[in-house]
Short mmCIF file of all heavy atoms in Angstrom, two decimals:
data_model
loop_
_atom_site.label_atom_id
_atom_site.label_comp_id
_atom_site.label_asym_id
_atom_site.label_seq_id
_atom_site.Cartn_x
_atom_site.Cartn_y
_atom_site.Cartn_z
N GLU A 53 -139.18 131.70 67.54
CA GLU A 53 -140.30 130.78 68.02
C GLU A 53 -140.35 129.55 67.02
O GLU A 53 -140.49 128.42 67.46
CB GLU A 53 -141.64 131.50 67.93
CG GLU A 53 -142.79 130.79 68.48
CD GLU A 53 -143.96 131.64 68.39
OE1 GLU A 53 -144.02 132.87 68.63
OE2 GLU A 53 -145.13 130.97 68.29
N ALA A 54 -140.11 129.84 65.78
CA ALA A 54 -140.03 128.56 64.82
C ALA A 54 -138.88 127.66 65.22
O ALA A 54 -139.14 126.40 65.11
CB ALA A 54 -140.01 129.12 63.43
N GLU A 55 -137.68 128.21 65.48
CA GLU A 55 -136.62 127.43 65.86
C GLU A 55 -136.92 126.56 67.11
O GLU A 55 -136.56 125.40 67.30
CB GLU A 55 -135.28 128.24 66.11
CG GLU A 55 -134.77 128.80 64.86
CD GLU A 55 -133.59 129.88 65.19
OE1 GLU A 55 -133.24 129.95 66.28
OE2 GLU A 55 -133.20 130.63 64.17
N ARG A 56 -137.54 127.23 68.06
CA ARG A 56 -137.86 126.52 69.34
C ARG A 56 -138.90 125.39 69.09
O ARG A 56 -138.75 124.36 69.61
CB ARG A 56 -138.46 127.48 70.42
CG ARG A 56 -137.53 128.38 71.07
CD ARG A 56 -138.01 129.09 72.30
NE ARG A 56 -139.13 129.84 72.07
CZ ARG A 56 -139.05 131.11 71.82
NH1 ARG A 56 -137.87 131.74 71.76
NH2 ARG A 56 -140.07 131.90 71.42
N GLU A 57 -139.84 125.61 68.07
CA GLU A 57 -140.84 124.69 67.81
C GLU A 57 -140.17 123.47 67.14
O GLU A 57 -140.48 122.35 67.41
CB GLU A 57 -141.90 125.34 67.00
CG GLU A 57 -143.07 124.44 66.78
CD GLU A 57 -144.03 124.20 68.01
OE1 GLU A 57 -144.00 125.15 68.85
OE2 GLU A 57 -144.59 123.10 68.10
N ALA A 58 -139.17 123.86 66.22
CA ALA A 58 -138.53 122.77 65.52
C ALA A 58 -137.71 121.89 66.45
O ALA A 58 -137.68 120.67 66.40
CB ALA A 58 -137.60 123.38 64.45
N ALA A 59 -137.00 122.64 67.33
CA ALA A 59 -136.19 121.84 68.38
C ALA A 59 -137.20 121.05 69.33
O ALA A 59 -136.84 119.77 69.59
CB ALA A 59 -135.35 122.88 69.22
N LYS A 60 -138.30 121.48 69.69
CA LYS A 60 -139.15 120.76 70.51
C LYS A 60 -139.69 119.54 69.72
O LYS A 60 -139.78 118.37 70.31
CB LYS A 60 -140.36 121.64 70.81
CG LYS A 60 -141.38 121.04 71.89
CD LYS A 60 -142.44 122.16 72.23
CE LYS A 60 -143.37 121.59 73.29
NZ LYS A 60 -144.36 122.51 73.69
N LYS A 61 -140.03 119.64 68.43
CA LYS A 61 -140.46 118.49 67.68
C LYS A 61 -139.32 117.53 67.51
O LYS A 61 -139.62 116.31 67.48
CB LYS A 61 -140.91 119.03 66.22
CG LYS A 61 -142.32 119.77 66.34
CD LYS A 61 -142.70 119.99 64.89
CE LYS A 61 -144.13 120.77 65.03
NZ LYS A 61 -144.62 121.18 63.70
N ALA A 62 -138.11 117.96 67.35
CA ALA A 62 -137.03 117.05 67.11
C ALA A 62 -136.74 116.30 68.55
O ALA A 62 -136.44 115.05 68.57
CB ALA A 62 -135.73 117.83 66.84
N GLN A 63 -136.97 116.92 69.61
CA GLN A 63 -136.75 116.36 71.00
C GLN A 63 -137.78 115.33 71.16
O GLN A 63 -137.56 114.25 71.69
CB GLN A 63 -136.82 117.43 71.96
CG GLN A 63 -136.48 116.84 73.48
CD GLN A 63 -136.48 117.97 74.39
OE1 GLN A 63 -137.14 119.05 74.27
NE2 GLN A 63 -136.03 117.81 75.57
N LEU A 64 -139.11 115.72 70.82
CA LEU A 64 -140.26 114.68 70.85
C LEU A 64 -139.89 113.43 69.96
O LEU A 64 -140.20 112.34 70.42
CB LEU A 64 -141.53 115.34 70.40
CG LEU A 64 -142.13 116.32 71.50
CD1 LEU A 64 -143.39 117.05 70.92
CD2 LEU A 64 -142.38 115.68 72.82
N ALA A 65 -139.37 113.69 68.73
CA ALA A 65 -139.04 112.56 67.93
C ALA A 65 -137.97 111.70 68.58
O ALA A 65 -138.04 110.53 68.62
CB ALA A 65 -138.59 113.08 66.57
N ASP A 66 -136.99 112.35 69.19
CA ASP A 66 -135.88 111.60 69.85
C ASP A 66 -136.46 110.80 71.01
O ASP A 66 -136.15 109.65 71.22
CB ASP A 66 -134.84 112.48 70.30
CG ASP A 66 -133.97 113.11 69.19
OD1 ASP A 66 -134.09 112.55 68.01
OD2 ASP A 66 -133.24 114.09 69.42
N LYS A 67 -137.36 111.39 71.69
CA LYS A 67 -137.97 110.64 72.92
C LYS A 67 -138.76 109.46 72.32
O LYS A 67 -138.75 108.37 73.01
CB LYS A 67 -138.87 111.62 73.80
CG LYS A 67 -138.09 112.58 74.60
CD LYS A 67 -139.03 113.39 75.42
CE LYS A 67 -138.26 114.24 76.29
NZ LYS A 67 -139.16 115.13 77.20
N ALA A 68 -139.45 109.75 71.21
CA ALA A 68 -140.31 108.63 70.79
C ALA A 68 -139.41 107.55 70.29
O ALA A 68 -139.61 106.26 70.50
CB ALA A 68 -141.15 109.14 69.58
N LYS A 69 -138.30 107.80 69.58
CA LYS A 69 -137.35 106.78 69.12
C LYS A 69 -136.74 106.07 70.45
O LYS A 69 -136.59 104.81 70.34
CB LYS A 69 -136.22 107.38 68.36
CG LYS A 69 -136.64 107.87 66.90
CD LYS A 69 -135.47 108.53 66.16
CE LYS A 69 -135.90 109.12 64.90
NZ LYS A 69 -134.80 109.74 64.20
N GLN A 70 -136.40 106.78 71.40
CA GLN A 70 -135.80 106.16 72.57
C GLN A 70 -136.89 105.17 73.26
O GLN A 70 -136.54 104.21 73.77
CB GLN A 70 -135.47 107.33 73.55
CG GLN A 70 -134.74 106.76 74.95
CD GLN A 70 -133.40 106.02 74.49
OE1 GLN A 70 -132.72 106.40 73.71
NE2 GLN A 70 -133.16 104.85 75.27
N ALA A 71 -138.12 105.75 73.25
CA ALA A 71 -139.25 104.87 73.95
C ALA A 71 -139.35 103.55 72.98
O ALA A 71 -139.54 102.41 73.67
CB ALA A 71 -140.49 105.61 73.77
N VAL A 72 -139.22 103.57 71.64
CA VAL A 72 -139.22 102.37 70.92
C VAL A 72 -138.11 101.48 71.26
O VAL A 72 -138.25 100.26 71.41
CB VAL A 72 -139.34 102.80 69.42
CG1 VAL A 72 -139.17 101.66 68.50
CG2 VAL A 72 -140.69 103.51 69.11
N ARG A 73 -136.91 102.15 71.27
CA ARG A 73 -135.67 101.27 71.56
C ARG A 73 -135.86 100.64 72.91
O ARG A 73 -135.52 99.54 73.23
CB ARG A 73 -134.44 102.19 71.51
CG ARG A 73 -133.94 102.41 70.16
CD ARG A 73 -132.55 103.06 70.20
NE ARG A 73 -132.46 104.35 70.88
CZ ARG A 73 -132.54 105.51 70.29
NH1 ARG A 73 -132.57 105.53 68.99
NH2 ARG A 73 -132.54 106.56 70.96
N ASP A 74 -136.38 101.34 74.01
CA ASP A 74 -136.53 100.87 75.32
C ASP A 74 -137.55 99.79 75.30
O ASP A 74 -137.32 98.64 75.91
CB ASP A 74 -137.01 101.90 76.22
CG ASP A 74 -136.00 102.89 76.54
OD1 ASP A 74 -134.78 102.62 76.15
OD2 ASP A 74 -136.22 103.97 77.20
N ALA A 75 -138.63 99.86 74.48
CA ALA A 75 -139.62 98.89 74.38
C ALA A 75 -139.06 97.56 73.73
O ALA A 75 -139.30 96.47 74.21
CB ALA A 75 -140.85 99.29 73.67
N GLU A 76 -138.23 97.77 72.73
CA GLU A 76 -137.60 96.60 72.12
C GLU A 76 -136.68 95.92 73.10
O GLU A 76 -136.60 94.68 73.07
CB GLU A 76 -136.86 97.02 70.79
CG GLU A 76 -137.74 97.52 69.70
CD GLU A 76 -137.04 98.13 68.48
OE1 GLU A 76 -135.81 98.33 68.58
OE2 GLU A 76 -137.63 98.38 67.43
N LEU A 77 -135.86 96.68 73.76
CA LEU A 77 -134.95 96.06 74.77
C LEU A 77 -135.76 95.42 75.80
O LEU A 77 -135.42 94.20 76.23
CB LEU A 77 -134.08 97.17 75.39
CG LEU A 77 -133.02 97.75 74.46
CD1 LEU A 77 -132.33 98.88 75.15
CD2 LEU A 77 -131.99 96.63 74.05
N ALA A 78 -136.84 95.92 76.34
CA ALA A 78 -137.58 95.29 77.33
C ALA A 78 -138.25 93.96 76.82
O ALA A 78 -138.27 92.97 77.49
CB ALA A 78 -138.73 96.23 77.77
N ALA A 79 -138.76 94.01 75.51
CA ALA A 79 -139.20 92.76 75.00
C ALA A 79 -138.17 91.69 74.72
O ALA A 79 -138.42 90.52 75.09
CB ALA A 79 -139.86 93.14 73.58
N ALA A 80 -136.97 92.05 74.35
CA ALA A 80 -135.85 91.16 74.23
C ALA A 80 -135.47 90.64 75.59
O ALA A 80 -135.16 89.45 75.76
CB ALA A 80 -134.56 91.87 73.64
N ALA A 81 -135.44 91.48 76.55
CA ALA A 81 -135.19 91.01 78.02
C ALA A 81 -136.31 90.02 78.46
O ALA A 81 -135.90 88.96 79.16
CB ALA A 81 -134.96 92.17 78.87
N LYS A 82 -137.52 90.32 78.23
CA LYS A 82 -138.53 89.39 78.64
C LYS A 82 -138.46 88.17 77.92
O LYS A 82 -138.54 87.11 78.49
CB LYS A 82 -139.87 90.14 78.26
CG LYS A 82 -141.06 89.35 78.78
CD LYS A 82 -142.40 90.20 78.47
CE LYS A 82 -143.58 89.36 78.94
NZ LYS A 82 -144.79 89.97 78.57
N LEU A 83 -138.07 88.16 76.72
CA LEU A 83 -137.98 86.78 75.90
C LEU A 83 -136.83 86.12 76.46
O LEU A 83 -136.96 84.90 76.62
CB LEU A 83 -137.71 87.30 74.36
CG LEU A 83 -137.75 86.08 73.43
CD1 LEU A 83 -138.96 85.31 73.46
CD2 LEU A 83 -137.38 86.50 72.00
N GLU A 84 -135.74 86.68 76.76
CA GLU A 84 -134.55 85.99 77.45
C GLU A 84 -134.90 85.43 78.66
O GLU A 84 -134.70 84.25 79.05
CB GLU A 84 -133.33 86.96 77.55
CG GLU A 84 -132.73 87.26 76.18
CD GLU A 84 -132.06 86.01 75.50
OE1 GLU A 84 -131.49 85.26 76.33
OE2 GLU A 84 -132.14 86.01 74.24
N ALA A 85 -135.72 86.18 79.44
CA ALA A 85 -136.14 85.68 80.74
C ALA A 85 -137.11 84.51 80.64
O ALA A 85 -136.90 83.44 81.35
CB ALA A 85 -136.82 86.82 81.61
N GLU A 86 -138.02 84.44 79.68
CA GLU A 86 -138.88 83.38 79.42
C GLU A 86 -138.04 82.18 78.98
O GLU A 86 -138.38 81.06 79.43
CB GLU A 86 -139.92 83.79 78.34
CG GLU A 86 -140.95 84.84 78.84
CD GLU A 86 -141.94 85.29 77.76
OE1 GLU A 86 -141.68 84.94 76.59
OE2 GLU A 86 -142.79 86.03 78.17
N LYS A 87 -137.04 82.32 78.13
CA LYS A 87 -136.24 81.28 77.54
C LYS A 87 -135.50 80.63 78.85
O LYS A 87 -135.45 79.47 79.00
CB LYS A 87 -135.23 81.71 76.61
CG LYS A 87 -135.84 81.93 75.25
CD LYS A 87 -134.82 82.43 74.25
CE LYS A 87 -135.28 82.70 72.95
NZ LYS A 87 -134.21 83.20 71.95
N ALA A 88 -134.99 81.52 79.66
CA ALA A 88 -134.15 81.07 80.90
C ALA A 88 -135.16 80.37 81.79
O ALA A 88 -134.71 79.20 82.34
CB ALA A 88 -133.51 82.24 81.60
N ALA A 89 -136.38 80.77 82.00
CA ALA A 89 -137.29 80.11 82.87
C ALA A 89 -137.64 78.77 82.38
O ALA A 89 -137.85 77.79 82.98
CB ALA A 89 -138.58 80.91 82.98
N ALA A 90 -137.95 78.71 80.90
CA ALA A 90 -138.25 77.37 80.26
C ALA A 90 -137.11 76.40 80.33
O ALA A 90 -137.40 75.24 80.63
CB ALA A 90 -138.56 77.71 78.80
N LEU A 91 -135.90 76.98 80.22
CA LEU A 91 -134.74 76.03 80.41
C LEU A 91 -134.63 75.63 81.77
O LEU A 91 -134.46 74.34 81.97
CB LEU A 91 -133.46 76.85 79.97
CG LEU A 91 -132.10 76.08 79.97
CD1 LEU A 91 -132.27 74.93 78.90
CD2 LEU A 91 -130.97 77.03 79.65
N ARG A 92 -134.83 76.36 82.83
CA ARG A 92 -134.81 75.96 84.23
C ARG A 92 -135.88 74.95 84.45
O ARG A 92 -135.71 73.92 85.14
CB ARG A 92 -134.95 77.22 85.11
CG ARG A 92 -133.60 78.06 85.33
CD ARG A 92 -133.77 79.00 86.50
NE ARG A 92 -134.88 79.82 86.35
CZ ARG A 92 -134.87 81.01 85.83
NH1 ARG A 92 -133.76 81.51 85.29
NH2 ARG A 92 -135.86 81.68 85.82
N ALA A 93 -137.07 75.20 83.97
CA ALA A 93 -138.17 74.32 84.14
C ALA A 93 -137.88 72.90 83.49
O ALA A 93 -138.20 71.81 84.04
CB ALA A 93 -139.48 74.92 83.53
#
Side-chain angles (χ1 to χ4, degrees):
E53 187 175 330
E55 287 174 10
R56 281 194 301 269
E57 190 67 29
K60 188 176 182 180
K61 285 182 181 180
Q63 187 178 18
L64 287 175
D66 288 343
K67 283 184 180 181
K69 287 179 185 177
Q70 184 63 37
V72 168
R73 281 193 297 261
D74 290 346
E76 289 173 352
L77 288 174
K82 184 178 180 182
L83 184 62
E84 287 295 321
E86 288 174 357
K87 284 181 182 179
L91 186 59
R92 283 193 303 271

